[in-house]
Amino acid sequence: AEFIDESGNQVWPAFIEEKWENPPDCLGYASPSDITILKPEVSGPSCDELVRNGGQDASISTSDPWLHTHPGVEVAVGLGLDGSDAIKTINRKYHWTGLGQNIDTRCIKLMEGQYFEFSAWIKMLDSSGNPANVVDPDREWYRNMSPILTINAREYRDALTKQFIYTTEDRDKAWLARPYKPDGWNLVHGLFRLPENSPRVFWELERAPDNVEFIVDNASIKPVTCNPDMLLKNGKLEDAGVSKYWDTWGGEVGLDIVTGYGGSGNALKAFKRPHLSHGPAQIIDMDCINAGERLAFQAKIKFESSGATAVCNPYTWGSDRCSDFFMYTYTQGIRHYRRVAWIASDDPVDGWYEIAGVYTLNEDQANAEFAKVYFDGAVANLDVIVDDVEVKKIPQTCQELTLNPSFEESTAFWSFIDRGYSKVSLYSPGAGGESDFALRSYDRGSSE
């Protein structure tokens, strides 16, 4: 079987879904193995963008191939970014409805297992055409208070007979970046892997409150190339001035953009934390990292209580402890939660602590299907603010085995041996090396 256009060229309709009934009580009937679907070849460049008619062009003549769950979509002439055209929902009534597109299944097969990045700019209006003030991206997705990306994949219960087809829904793959601007354009963004071996994959923006209309522009799904020098993205929070790439560890956590380290630039603030483990987080792509390789984790971190700078104790596990840098990985049912970096010295600068560490990946972590870094530990009534966050591979070199040997980066990558039994801090003057600092170890509980 093949598909031919009006000019006689072989084409592909984005997906083919076969559905077979029980075999008849006779001879000579066809079965799935008797059918061959012919597909035109597709190349990598053809799959560099999986969204068609996403609004990158200033003028849009049709809403095709956009689809809707209820009741429709149309071209929004002149209502897009900078007065361009966009795509708009029509009379959207229910939180579970939205708009989206089918993905070319040839691209999914070609780029099997790879990470993709979704982004779309969205403006939301109430039923009277006013800014949608009911949207709250800090609530969990199932509260239906903010738009999310859902990946709908069709699956066969029996791949051989191709009977009994059903739909899986993988929700919250992209979410609204903060801060939310009711009267402006907002970014929906996320990083995810697409399902494999599915005859049809349909992505959809949904879950904003009832009676909220969507105007969508510059929608895009592109393959991601893992960069070992920048495994964590937007670490300085300067990309679009929003929390792009960032998410939370734990639900019902507020995120906002605030003044960054040194009194300039941006930082990410996590507030309304229900638990000490909840805070800022980010999905990272580690497909370019191998087992046995070392990763460096660094950040500037600050704590506030009721808007005032607060301190923590890096030398305790008690209630006044600081947040640590963690990494979570999932591989074929195996989960790892690892503390990979922490604050080494109790000498913050204007409230900002240095947090850093080195971690060597094992086989499960290096082959992770999913990986996420997050900050965990400070008591829940403290707001956690992070800036200058980095996760990157440490190049293998035998010329310099020690990181930050002259303490030019404060105490980064140095630490006490055991929390609660010793402390470290910068000491000046140093021994005349490349900096004026040395490292002091004190309050040692033993000779170890």
Side-chain angles (χ1 to χ4, degrees), residues 135-199:
V135 173
D136 185 355
D138 293 333
R139 303 300 303 275
E140 287 274 37
W141 69 263
Y142 54 79
R143 306 290 186 184
N144 307 315
M145 296 299 295
S146 181
I148 61 168
L149 176 71
T150 296
I151 303 295
N152 303 280
R154 299 284 275 170
E155 305 289 347
Y156 294 109
R157 296 193 186 279
D158 188 331
L160 293 177
T161 64
K162 294 186 177 177
Q163 291 177 292
F164 313 112
I165 196 165
Y166 65 98
T167 302
T168 63
E169 296 177 307
D170 196 2
R171 294 192 175 97
D172 203 25
K173 310 312 291 183
W175 46 87
L176 206 63
R178 274 75 124 197
Y180 171 59
K181 307 177 185 69
D183 58 348
W185 288 94
N186 294 272
L187 179 67
V188 180
H189 185 272
L191 199 68
F192 55 90
R193 299 188 197 272
L194 285 170
E196 301 175 12
N197 302 316
S198 175

Side-chain angles (χ1 to χ4, degrees), residues 30 59 99 133 257 270 288 315 323 325 360 368 372 379 413 417 426:
S59 178
L99 76 175
N133 293 306
I257 300 297
C288 54
Y315 307 118
S323 286
F325 207 152
T360 303
K372 196 170 189 177
V379 65
F413 306 114
I417 297 298
L426 285 181

Side-chain angles (χ1 to χ4, degrees), residues 15-325:
F15 72 95
I16 299 295
E17 189 174 285
E18 297 181 58
K19 185 178 180 181
W20 292 74
E21 303 295 338
N22 290 325
D25 296 328
C26 61
L27 299 176
Y29 61 84
S31 66
S33 60
D34 298 317
I35 304 296
T36 301
I37 304 296
L38 302 179
K39 303 178 184 179
E41 292 293 329
V42 65
S43 62
S46 301
C47 298
D48 285 345
E49 176 57 79
L50 300 186
V51 176
R52 294 160 291 159
N53 193 27
Q56 284 79 8
D57 297 327
S59 178
I60 299 176
S61 59
T62 176
S63 62
D64 186 66
W66 288 87
L67 302 173
H68 56 86
T69 45
H70 178 84
V73 295
E74 64 182 5
V75 176
V77 178
L79 297 182
L81 289 161
D82 300 321
S84 64
D85 296 343
I87 299 295
K88 181 182 181 297
T89 57
I90 304 172
N91 297 322
R92 181 179 175 273
K93 299 292 185 183
Y94 309 110
H95 63 264
W96 46 266
T97 63
L99 76 175
Q101 293 187 13
N102 289 300
I103 295 178
D104 190 329
T105 52
R106 298 174 300 169
C107 293
I108 296 175
K109 185 64 177 177
L110 183 69
M111 300 181 172
E112 197 170 61
Q114 190 169 342
Y115 265 106
F116 287 83
E117 180 178 343
F118 176 88
S119 65
W121 288 94
I122 187 170
K123 181 180 285 189
M124 288 173 281
L125 308 173
D126 64 20
S127 56
S128 300
N130 300 313
N133 293 306
V134 295
V135 173
D136 185 355
D138 293 333
R139 303 300 303 275
E140 287 274 37
W141 69 263
Y142 54 79
R143 306 290 186 184
N144 307 315
M145 296 299 295
S146 181
I148 61 168
L149 176 71
T150 296
I151 303 295
N152 303 280
R154 299 284 275 170
E155 305 289 347
Y156 294 109
R157 296 193 186 279
D158 188 331
L160 293 177
T161 64
K162 294 186 177 177
Q163 291 177 292
F164 313 112
I165 196 165
Y166 65 98
T167 302
T168 63
E169 296 177 307
D170 196 2
R171 294 192 175 97
D172 203 25
K173 310 312 291 183
W175 46 87
L176 206 63
R178 274 75 124 197
Y180 171 59
K181 307 177 185 69
D183 58 348
W185 288 94
N186 294 272
L187 179 67
V188 180
H189 185 272
L191 199 68
F192 55 90
R193 299 188 197 272
L194 285 170
E196 301 175 12
N197 302 316
S198 175
R200 179 188 179 189
V201 176
F202 172 72
W203 66 265
E204 176 188 18
L205 289 175
E206 59 158 355
R207 295 287 159 176
D210 296 349
N211 301 306
V212 170
E213 299 287 356
F214 297 165
I215 302 176
V216 176
D217 204 357
N218 283 11
S220 173
I221 299 178
K222 293 184 177 182
V224 174
T225 300
C226 177
N227 180 358
D229 297 322
M230 191 185 294
L231 297 174
L232 183 140
K233 302 178 185 296
N234 196 22
K236 294 181 179 293
L237 282 302
E238 304 296 338
D239 196 338
V242 296
S243 63
K244 183 179 180 181
Y245 292 103
W246 286 92
D247 186 18
T248 62
W249 185 264
E252 305 290 324
V253 178
L255 292 180
D256 199 5
I257 300 297
V258 296
T259 303
Y261 172 72
S264 63
N266 295 331
L268 183 66
K269 177 179 180 177
F271 59 99
K272 294 189 305 186
R273 300 167 54 239
H275 189 266
L276 62 85
S277 65
H278 293 191
Q282 188 177 134
I283 296 169
I284 58 173
D285 174 10
M286 297 199 301
D287 288 351
C288 54
I289 305 299
N290 299 311
E293 292 183 327
R294 300 190 305 160
L295 300 185
F297 298 81
Q298 279 187 274
K300 299 292 192 301
I301 188 166
K302 184 179 182 180
F303 306 94
E304 288 185 349
S305 177
S306 301
T309 298
V311 296
C312 64
N313 186 349
Y315 307 118
T316 182
W317 296 105
S319 60
D320 58 342
R321 60 177 288 196
C322 304
S323 286
D324 297 323
F325 207 152

